Amino acid sequence: MKRTFLLILYLFGGLLIGTLLTEVAKKVSWLSWLCWGESIGINSLSVDLAVVQFTFGITISMNVALLLCIILAVVLYVKTAGKIH
């Protein structure tokens, strides 16, 4: 249970740091390559049942900075998870 929590914590930390790094890299010309990426998903799917209307949508965005930070988070997890009992 502790290892699962640690993995989730590292992954969320990697996503947060990767997002922050992306925002910084947008403003620095020589770091703009970190922002290269793609988005996939469904913009919006609406279901109208006359009484209730549902709108669904999901988008997943991935760029170089996020990918590097997620990889770093997994490496840190592997190095530290063995020390937790």
Side-chain angles (χ1 to χ4, degrees):
M1 185 68 177
K2 290 180 185 178
R3 289 182 183 178
T4 304
F5 178 71
L6 183 65
L7 177 62
I8 291 170
L9 183 68
Y10 277 153
L11 288 176
F12 278 130
L15 289 172
L16 180 65
I17 292 171
T19 302
L20 292 173
L21 185 59
T22 300
E23 291 300 316
V24 170
K26 284 180 184 177
K27 299 173 183 170
V28 180
S29 62
W30 57 276
L31 288 178
S32 62
W33 62 274
L34 290 172
C35 299
W36 183 82
E38 293 291 326
S39 295
I40 59 171
I42 299 170
N43 287 338
S44 65
L45 174 67
S46 294
V47 177
D48 189 359
L49 302 174
V51 177
V52 179
Q53 180 179 4
F54 297 100
T55 302
F56 302 98
I58 185 168
T59 303
I60 298 173
S61 298
M62 183 59 66
N63 61 37
V64 175
L66 281 172
L67 186 62
L68 290 175
C69 288
I70 290 172
I71 290 170
L72 180 63
V74 170
V75 168
L76 287 174
Y77 168 75
V78 169
K79 289 188 179 265
T80 58
K83 299 176 184 176
I84 295 177
H85 300 291

